[in-house]
Amino acid sequence: MSRTHSGSSGRPASARSRNAWADDGYDNQGADDAPGAMEGEMYIGDTLHVDGRAVSNTKKSTAPVVKQPAPQQTGFFGCIGRGIRSMWATRQTEDTAADKELHVRTTLRELIVYLFFLAILCVLTFGMTSSTMFYFTNVLQSLFLNTPFDASQTNFQTIANMDDVWAYLTVTLPPALYWETWYNNASLDQSELGYIFYENKLLGVPRIRQLRVLNTSCTVPKDFEQEIKSCYDSYAESVEDKNAFGLGLVKGNDNDTAWNYQTAKQLGGSKHWGMLSSYGGGGFVKNLGKSQADVNAVIQSLFGNLWIDRGTRAIFVDFTVYNANINLFCQVRLVVEFPATGGAIPSWTFRTVKLIRYVSVGDYFVMACECIFALFILYYMIEESIEIKKMKMAYFKTIWNILDVVIIFISIVCIGFNVYRTMKVSDLLESLLSNPDEFADFEFLGFWQTQFNNAVAFTVFLAWIKVFKYISFNKTMTQLSSTLAKCAKDVAGFAIMFFIVFLAYAQLGYLVFGTQIQDFSTFQSSIFTLFRIILGDFDFHALESAQRVIGPIFFLTYVFFVFFVLLNMFLAIINDTYSEVKADLANQKSEFEVGDYFKRGYNKMLEKLNFKRDKIIDIQKTVQIADSNFDKHIDFDEWRSALKKQGYADAEIENLFAKYDLDGDRVLDEDDQRRMQLDLNRQKDDLTKEFVELEDRSAGHRRRPMSSRKSRSEHAAEEEEDSDDDSAAQSSRGSRGSGVSYEEFTVLSRRVDRMEHSIGSIVSKIDAVLVKLEAMEKAKLKRRETMSKILDTIAESDGMSDEAKREQMERLVRDELERWDSEANLGGQGSSARLRTGAALGRPGTGGASNA
């Protein structure tokens, strides 16, 4: 027997409509006509009660228990609470799996809020940098790095020895720092001095600093002890020379900082990462003065007293310039390192930063965006806290959640540094203005401002990557993440093989070519060089010149194994995985289709426009036919009678009449009718124009046919759902073709839905009764078999009197009845069986013994 189980699966399709049980649209009488499903039934424990009477103790196993939703708070504070909660509602905090519309709305709200946050973040990043920074840096680099100081066109970038260093400090540096004449050799005014390129103010005075190593920093082999008396190792803080030298050994020069060491704490310096080593912030320093003459005097004094010697490992020239035209600082550091091998290696740092943030109107706009950004970070902190509270440790299993935490953490650090930088710059400028002849140390702020810019850039990068989190509803957008996730294990296994071969070649290149080719001079450089070869950037002639035999063999074998074999294996893994992902996505429906969501809203809008236009046409026709007595006046009764036939509600009829009955006499005269016609024509024209514009826009952006991506069953389900939504969105407009008003049709359809639901409930009850009857029939057969066994046992007992057999039969029957009574689900049936058996035994001459 086929049975329909009660529950959601037993309800008719129309009964599952979201609008089937709405109270609007029909009167109370319609609600009373169809009783509610399973009305008057409830379970107490395992017993079913109907109208207060226990009818069965059968366990409710066929009907699923539906958990009633918790009652929502009502009133003003309840609305505020729900509004606040909705601000932080996400797909992880809301149960969106069962509600596609909620999933769409939540995702779109998250995406819109996040795009606004991303826009604010982009405004901040573009507000703190510009192309002007590049030109500012480029013009200063051209001046200090590319200006030659001898006939051979040697400049700072080509410095190779100590002589070049002194030539640069003597010839190029002083006129580059202090511009004292115009291009026609006319002297500058006193107020115009101290500017580089006449525009960039030199803050304070420049400073030169030296770091040295001890003479005993390395050990001379015994074979050369008699010949070599001194040994200066490469720089390290453990072998740094902090003793006075040169003029510092002369009495009276104890305070000359050029010859006496000062610690990093005294100088307020920091470490510098150079080409050869990492250098400390202390050293032997000298301020260069406020004019070309002062700089030349200091340089000549240092040169004459052999300030740079064999123990020197690095010199630094530091200064800072400020351009008020563009409100930019540039902190400049020129470095020359002296390796233990001899010679000189130049390097440089130009940090162009915007330390004074709020000057122009645009700067204050950026400040407003910074405040909004801080509020966004607070908003996302609360949101992530709610998600962590709900998901516990499962929150950190998703890469997107970890990305959220990283973005929030970096943003908080940047906000803190922004506040610190503003206060620190103010203190530095105040100190500089009070001591204009001192060195302006902006190196610390310039360094950390650069790190701040890098952190913000990294945050923007992660923020753009996070956009994939919100567009993952589209199958095309998930191809990248799905491909990477699916091939991760294969790529990891392949990466082991790849790096075994790659690092082998990197070490081989470092050991074979490291002494002759700069690209292989260090192991790190060798790794980067091999990556460049994969991309096609290589110098084969340098390899061949260094090793005529090994060089070509190294290059050819590397290209064959790494480029042609391993790299193509890597691409093959990704291509195969991508093909599998595309095949899987082709057979898989998207999580939800946002395009369908907007299309549904667009169709509803068109239907509303059509409905409004049809409504206006109906009213215009009513004006023409409502005057039943032909007196050119329409009273309210005529108006109501005509519109009632069209299916309009009384409230709508009253409101429309009152709109044009300006004198309130309940009659529309000729002027009122004329004014109504003009107003209706204007509204109809506006609606027609808007409808045409929407149709044209839709035709210009028409999507691909849905039949290529969806099955017919999916179309049917969507059309049924659309019909439910559309029925709720439409107003009380009647059906013109059938003559039945839309309001009446809605009432009847809902009543039919309730009747179908009630019928489904009745069918469920009948099914339960059939199940119980079947159980009773089985129990009856079981009892009959038991009684037969009892009678057979008594009949087989030989040598017993009839009276003894009767007593034995009564005892066995009584035991069996007690066992039946102990069964909870057959208690009622056991009582009936006991009565029937007792009656049979009470009949004289008809006992079991007689039959036996």
Side-chain angles (χ1 to χ4, degrees), residues 341-364:
T341 59
I345 300 176
S347 60
W348 53 90
T349 302
F350 289 78
R351 294 192 180 101
T352 301
V353 292
K354 188 175 183 179
L355 297 178
I356 303 177
R357 296 296 298 273
Y358 313 115
V359 177
S360 63
V361 177
D363 295 336
Y364 283 104

PDB file of all heavy atoms in Angstrom, residues 341-364:
ATOM      1  N   THR A 341      88.352  44.062   0.197  1.00  0.00           N
ATOM      2  CA  THR A 341      89.136  43.779  -1.008  1.00  0.00           C
ATOM      3  C   THR A 341      89.769  45.029  -1.582  1.00  0.00           C
ATOM      4  O   THR A 341      90.616  44.932  -2.482  1.00  0.00           O
ATOM      5  CB  THR A 341      88.222  43.158  -2.078  1.00  0.00           C
ATOM      6  OG1 THR A 341      87.156  44.067  -2.374  1.00  0.00           O
ATOM      7  CG2 THR A 341      87.648  41.849  -1.599  1.00  0.00           C
ATOM      8  N   GLY A 342      89.362  46.204  -1.105  1.00  0.00           N
ATOM      9  CA  GLY A 342      89.799  47.457  -1.693  1.00  0.00           C
ATOM     10  C   GLY A 342      88.756  47.985  -2.666  1.00  0.00           C
ATOM     11  O   GLY A 342      87.821  47.284  -3.049  1.00  0.00           O
ATOM     12  N   GLY A 343      88.906  49.243  -3.074  1.00  0.00           N
ATOM     13  CA  GLY A 343      87.944  49.852  -3.978  1.00  0.00           C
ATOM     14  C   GLY A 343      86.772  50.461  -3.213  1.00  0.00           C
ATOM     15  O   GLY A 343      86.800  50.603  -1.977  1.00  0.00           O
ATOM     16  N   ALA A 344      85.733  50.813  -3.953  1.00  0.00           N
ATOM     17  CA  ALA A 344      84.574  51.475  -3.351  1.00  0.00           C
ATOM     18  C   ALA A 344      83.313  51.057  -4.103  1.00  0.00           C
ATOM     19  O   ALA A 344      83.333  50.907  -5.332  1.00  0.00           O
ATOM     20  CB  ALA A 344      84.729  52.994  -3.381  1.00  0.00           C
ATOM     21  N   ILE A 345      82.238  50.909  -3.353  1.00  0.00           N
ATOM     22  CA  ILE A 345      80.943  50.516  -3.940  1.00  0.00           C
ATOM     23  C   ILE A 345      79.905  51.552  -3.515  1.00  0.00           C
ATOM     24  O   ILE A 345      79.574  51.657  -2.325  1.00  0.00           O
ATOM     25  CB  ILE A 345      80.517  49.116  -3.456  1.00  0.00           C
ATOM     26  CG1 ILE A 345      81.557  48.077  -3.858  1.00  0.00           C
ATOM     27  CG2 ILE A 345      79.140  48.761  -4.017  1.00  0.00           C
ATOM     28  CD1 ILE A 345      81.264  46.691  -3.331  1.00  0.00           C
ATOM     29  N   PRO A 346      79.390  52.340  -4.466  1.00  0.00           N
ATOM     30  CA  PRO A 346      78.411  53.373  -4.091  1.00  0.00           C
ATOM     31  C   PRO A 346      76.980  52.813  -4.070  1.00  0.00           C
ATOM     32  O   PRO A 346      76.646  51.857  -4.770  1.00  0.00           O
ATOM     33  CB  PRO A 346      78.563  54.398  -5.219  1.00  0.00           C
ATOM     34  CG  PRO A 346      78.965  53.585  -6.410  1.00  0.00           C
ATOM     35  CD  PRO A 346      79.791  52.431  -5.885  1.00  0.00           C
ATOM     36  N   SER A 347      76.169  53.415  -3.255  1.00  0.00           N
ATOM     37  CA  SER A 347      74.725  53.140  -3.229  1.00  0.00           C
ATOM     38  C   SER A 347      74.032  54.387  -2.708  1.00  0.00           C
ATOM     39  O   SER A 347      74.692  55.302  -2.176  1.00  0.00           O
ATOM     40  CB  SER A 347      74.406  51.923  -2.343  1.00  0.00           C
ATOM     41  OG  SER A 347      74.827  52.133  -1.011  1.00  0.00           O
ATOM     42  N   TRP A 348      72.737  54.428  -2.825  1.00  0.00           N
ATOM     43  CA  TRP A 348      72.009  55.644  -2.471  1.00  0.00           C
ATOM     44  C   TRP A 348      70.564  55.313  -2.100  1.00  0.00           C
ATOM     45  O   TRP A 348      70.019  54.274  -2.472  1.00  0.00           O
ATOM     46  CB  TRP A 348      72.040  56.639  -3.633  1.00  0.00           C
ATOM     47  CG  TRP A 348      71.559  56.032  -4.917  1.00  0.00           C
ATOM     48  CD1 TRP A 348      70.293  55.991  -5.395  1.00  0.00           C
ATOM     49  CD2 TRP A 348      72.365  55.352  -5.882  1.00  0.00           C
ATOM     50  NE1 TRP A 348      70.244  55.336  -6.594  1.00  0.00           N
ATOM     51  CE2 TRP A 348      71.493  54.934  -6.922  1.00  0.00           C
ATOM     52  CE3 TRP A 348      73.726  55.059  -5.975  1.00  0.00           C
ATOM     53  CZ2 TRP A 348      71.962  54.235  -8.030  1.00  0.00           C
ATOM     54  CZ3 TRP A 348      74.188  54.368  -7.077  1.00  0.00           C
ATOM     55  CH2 TRP A 348      73.308  53.964  -8.096  1.00  0.00           C
ATOM     56  N   THR A 349      69.965  56.251  -1.362  1.00  0.00           N
ATOM     57  CA  THR A 349      68.565  56.131  -0.974  1.00  0.00           C
ATOM     58  C   THR A 349      67.929  57.507  -1.062  1.00  0.00           C
ATOM     59  O   THR A 349      68.419  58.471  -0.449  1.00  0.00           O
ATOM     60  CB  THR A 349      68.417  55.591   0.466  1.00  0.00           C
ATOM     61  OG1 THR A 349      69.051  54.324   0.569  1.00  0.00           O
ATOM     62  CG2 THR A 349      66.943  55.443   0.830  1.00  0.00           C
ATOM     63  N   PHE A 350      66.840  57.613  -1.839  1.00  0.00           N
ATOM     64  CA  PHE A 350      66.045  58.842  -1.942  1.00  0.00           C
ATOM     65  C   PHE A 350      64.615  58.504  -1.500  1.00  0.00           C
ATOM     66  O   PHE A 350      63.905  57.788  -2.218  1.00  0.00           O
ATOM     67  CB  PHE A 350      66.042  59.383  -3.372  1.00  0.00           C
ATOM     68  CG  PHE A 350      67.355  59.974  -3.811  1.00  0.00           C
ATOM     69  CD1 PHE A 350      68.410  59.156  -4.196  1.00  0.00           C
ATOM     70  CD2 PHE A 350      67.536  61.341  -3.836  1.00  0.00           C
ATOM     71  CE1 PHE A 350      69.617  59.683  -4.593  1.00  0.00           C
ATOM     72  CE2 PHE A 350      68.748  61.890  -4.239  1.00  0.00           C
ATOM     73  CZ  PHE A 350      69.792  61.060  -4.621  1.00  0.00           C
ATOM     74  N   ARG A 351      64.232  58.971  -0.336  1.00  0.00           N
ATOM     75  CA  ARG A 351      62.889  58.689   0.189  1.00  0.00           C
ATOM     76  C   ARG A 351      62.046  59.954   0.080  1.00  0.00           C
ATOM     77  O   ARG A 351      62.198  60.893   0.861  1.00  0.00           O
ATOM     78  CB  ARG A 351      62.958  58.228   1.642  1.00  0.00           C
ATOM     79  CG  ARG A 351      63.647  56.889   1.845  1.00  0.00           C
ATOM     80  CD  ARG A 351      63.394  56.383   3.258  1.00  0.00           C
ATOM     81  NE  ARG A 351      64.031  55.095   3.488  1.00  0.00           N
ATOM     82  CZ  ARG A 351      65.183  54.916   4.139  1.00  0.00           C
ATOM     83  NH1 ARG A 351      65.815  55.971   4.639  1.00  0.00           N
ATOM     84  NH2 ARG A 351      65.688  53.720   4.303  1.00  0.00           N
ATOM     85  N   THR A 352      61.185  59.969  -0.906  1.00  0.00           N
ATOM     86  CA  THR A 352      60.266  61.093  -1.087  1.00  0.00           C
ATOM     87  C   THR A 352      58.956  60.763  -0.395  1.00  0.00           C
ATOM     88  O   THR A 352      58.259  59.812  -0.775  1.00  0.00           O
ATOM     89  CB  THR A 352      60.026  61.368  -2.581  1.00  0.00           C
ATOM     90  OG1 THR A 352      61.280  61.663  -3.208  1.00  0.00           O
ATOM     91  CG2 THR A 352      59.077  62.534  -2.766  1.00  0.00           C
ATOM     92  N   VAL A 353      58.619  61.539   0.620  1.00  0.00           N
ATOM     93  CA  VAL A 353      57.439  61.251   1.443  1.00  0.00           C
ATOM     94  C   VAL A 353      56.679  62.543   1.712  1.00  0.00           C
ATOM     95  O   VAL A 353      57.221  63.649   1.599  1.00  0.00           O
ATOM     96  CB  VAL A 353      57.841  60.597   2.788  1.00  0.00           C
ATOM     97  CG1 VAL A 353      58.392  59.199   2.557  1.00  0.00           C
ATOM     98  CG2 VAL A 353      58.835  61.452   3.542  1.00  0.00           C
ATOM     99  N   LYS A 354      55.422  62.357   2.081  1.00  0.00           N
ATOM    100  CA  LYS A 354      54.561  63.478   2.437  1.00  0.00           C
ATOM    101  C   LYS A 354      54.311  63.408   3.933  1.00  0.00           C
ATOM    102  O   LYS A 354      53.439  62.691   4.404  1.00  0.00           O
ATOM    103  CB  LYS A 354      53.236  63.402   1.660  1.00  0.00           C
ATOM    104  CG  LYS A 354      52.351  64.627   1.833  1.00  0.00           C
ATOM    105  CD  LYS A 354      51.133  64.519   0.934  1.00  0.00           C
ATOM    106  CE  LYS A 354      50.266  65.776   1.033  1.00  0.00           C
ATOM    107  NZ  LYS A 354      49.087  65.695   0.152  1.00  0.00           N
ATOM    108  N   LEU A 355      55.124  64.156   4.692  1.00  0.00           N
ATOM    109  CA  LEU A 355      55.051  64.096   6.145  1.00  0.00           C
ATOM    110  C   LEU A 355      54.038  65.073   6.719  1.00  0.00           C
ATOM    111  O   LEU A 355      53.447  64.803   7.764  1.00  0.00           O
ATOM    112  CB  LEU A 355      56.438  64.363   6.747  1.00  0.00           C
ATOM    113  CG  LEU A 355      57.517  63.327   6.384  1.00  0.00           C
ATOM    114  CD1 LEU A 355      58.851  63.726   6.987  1.00  0.00           C
ATOM    115  CD2 LEU A 355      57.118  61.940   6.833  1.00  0.00           C
ATOM    116  N   ILE A 356      53.855  66.213   6.086  1.00  0.00           N
ATOM    117  CA  ILE A 356      52.822  67.158   6.515  1.00  0.00           C
ATOM    118  C   ILE A 356      51.586  66.864   5.681  1.00  0.00           C
ATOM    119  O   ILE A 356      51.505  67.230   4.509  1.00  0.00           O
ATOM    120  CB  ILE A 356      53.289  68.621   6.334  1.00  0.00           C
ATOM    121  CG1 ILE A 356      54.586  68.853   7.092  1.00  0.00           C
ATOM    122  CG2 ILE A 356      52.219  69.587   6.809  1.00  0.00           C
ATOM    123  CD1 ILE A 356      55.161  70.250   6.901  1.00  0.00           C
ATOM    124  N   ARG A 357      50.615  66.208   6.285  1.00  0.00           N
ATOM    125  CA  ARG A 357      49.531  65.604   5.514  1.00  0.00           C
ATOM    126  C   ARG A 357      48.393  66.566   5.185  1.00  0.00           C
ATOM    127  O   ARG A 357      47.737  66.418   4.161  1.00  0.00           O
ATOM    128  CB  ARG A 357      48.955  64.401   6.269  1.00  0.00           C
ATOM    129  CG  ARG A 357      49.936  63.267   6.464  1.00  0.00           C
ATOM    130  CD  ARG A 357      50.349  62.659   5.140  1.00  0.00           C
ATOM    131  NE  ARG A 357      49.229  62.092   4.440  1.00  0.00           N
ATOM    132  CZ  ARG A 357      48.776  60.853   4.591  1.00  0.00           C
ATOM    133  NH1 ARG A 357      49.377  60.058   5.445  1.00  0.00           N
ATOM    134  NH2 ARG A 357      47.756  60.403   3.903  1.00  0.00           N
ATOM    135  N   TYR A 358      48.109  67.536   6.036  1.00  0.00           N
ATOM    136  CA  TYR A 358      46.865  68.301   5.895  1.00  0.00           C
ATOM    137  C   TYR A 358      47.185  69.785   5.693  1.00  0.00           C
ATOM    138  O   TYR A 358      47.447  70.521   6.650  1.00  0.00           O
ATOM    139  CB  TYR A 358      45.983  68.100   7.128  1.00  0.00           C
ATOM    140  CG  TYR A 358      45.862  66.651   7.537  1.00  0.00           C
ATOM    141  CD1 TYR A 358      46.358  66.189   8.744  1.00  0.00           C
ATOM    142  CD2 TYR A 358      45.287  65.727   6.663  1.00  0.00           C
ATOM    143  CE1 TYR A 358      46.265  64.850   9.095  1.00  0.00           C
ATOM    144  CE2 TYR A 358      45.197  64.390   7.000  1.00  0.00           C
ATOM    145  CZ  TYR A 358      45.689  63.952   8.219  1.00  0.00           C
ATOM    146  OH  TYR A 358      45.601  62.630   8.556  1.00  0.00           O
ATOM    147  N   VAL A 359      47.190  70.184   4.415  1.00  0.00           N
ATOM    148  CA  VAL A 359      47.482  71.571   4.056  1.00  0.00           C
ATOM    149  C   VAL A 359      46.394  72.129   3.146  1.00  0.00           C
ATOM    150  O   VAL A 359      45.762  73.149   3.443  1.00  0.00           O
ATOM    151  CB  VAL A 359      48.855  71.693   3.374  1.00  0.00           C
ATOM    152  CG1 VAL A 359      49.110  73.127   2.929  1.00  0.00           C
ATOM    153  CG2 VAL A 359      49.967  71.224   4.314  1.00  0.00           C
ATOM    154  N   SER A 360      46.126  71.456   2.028  1.00  0.00           N
ATOM    155  CA  SER A 360      45.169  71.947   1.042  1.00  0.00           C
ATOM    156  C   SER A 360      43.781  71.368   1.300  1.00  0.00           C
ATOM    157  O   SER A 360      43.568  70.558   2.207  1.00  0.00           O
ATOM    158  CB  SER A 360      45.641  71.569  -0.365  1.00  0.00           C
ATOM    159  OG  SER A 360      45.686  70.150  -0.507  1.00  0.00           O
ATOM    160  N   VAL A 361      42.836  71.831   0.472  1.00  0.00           N
ATOM    161  CA  VAL A 361      41.462  71.330   0.583  1.00  0.00           C
ATOM    162  C   VAL A 361      41.413  69.834   0.283  1.00  0.00           C
ATOM    163  O   VAL A 361      40.707  69.063   0.946  1.00  0.00           O
ATOM    164  CB  VAL A 361      40.536  72.112  -0.380  1.00  0.00           C
ATOM    165  CG1 VAL A 361      39.121  71.544  -0.337  1.00  0.00           C
ATOM    166  CG2 VAL A 361      40.517  73.585  -0.006  1.00  0.00           C
ATOM    167  N   GLY A 362      42.179  69.412  -0.716  1.00  0.00           N
ATOM    168  CA  GLY A 362      42.232  67.990  -1.025  1.00  0.00           C
ATOM    169  C   GLY A 362      42.773  67.164   0.127  1.00  0.00           C
ATOM    170  O   GLY A 362      42.320  66.044   0.373  1.00  0.00           O
ATOM    171  N   ASP A 363      43.750  67.736   0.861  1.00  0.00           N
ATOM    172  CA  ASP A 363      44.290  67.019   2.015  1.00  0.00           C
ATOM    173  C   ASP A 363      43.232  66.833   3.091  1.00  0.00           C
ATOM    174  O   ASP A 363      43.166  65.777   3.742  1.00  0.00           O
ATOM    175  CB  ASP A 363      45.494  67.769   2.573  1.00  0.00           C
ATOM    176  CG  ASP A 363      46.663  67.803   1.601  1.00  0.00           C
ATOM    177  OD1 ASP A 363      46.727  66.906   0.739  1.00  0.00           O
ATOM    178  OD2 ASP A 363      47.486  68.722   1.688  1.00  0.00           O
ATOM    179  N   TYR A 364      42.407  67.840   3.296  1.00  0.00           N
ATOM    180  CA  TYR A 364      41.358  67.712   4.313  1.00  0.00           C
ATOM    181  C   TYR A 364      40.267  66.744   3.862  1.00  0.00           C
ATOM    182  O   TYR A 364      39.621  66.093   4.685  1.00  0.00           O
ATOM    183  CB  TYR A 364      40.767  69.085   4.630  1.00  0.00           C
ATOM    184  CG  TYR A 364      41.668  69.913   5.523  1.00  0.00           C
ATOM    185  CD1 TYR A 364      42.428  70.951   5.003  1.00  0.00           C
ATOM    186  CD2 TYR A 364      41.769  69.626   6.883  1.00  0.00           C
ATOM    187  CE1 TYR A 364      43.266  71.706   5.824  1.00  0.00           C
ATOM    188  CE2 TYR A 364      42.605  70.379   7.705  1.00  0.00           C
ATOM    189  CZ  TYR A 364      43.349  71.410   7.171  1.00  0.00           C
ATOM    190  OH  TYR A 364      44.180  72.130   7.978  1.00  0.00           O
TER     191      TYR A 364
END
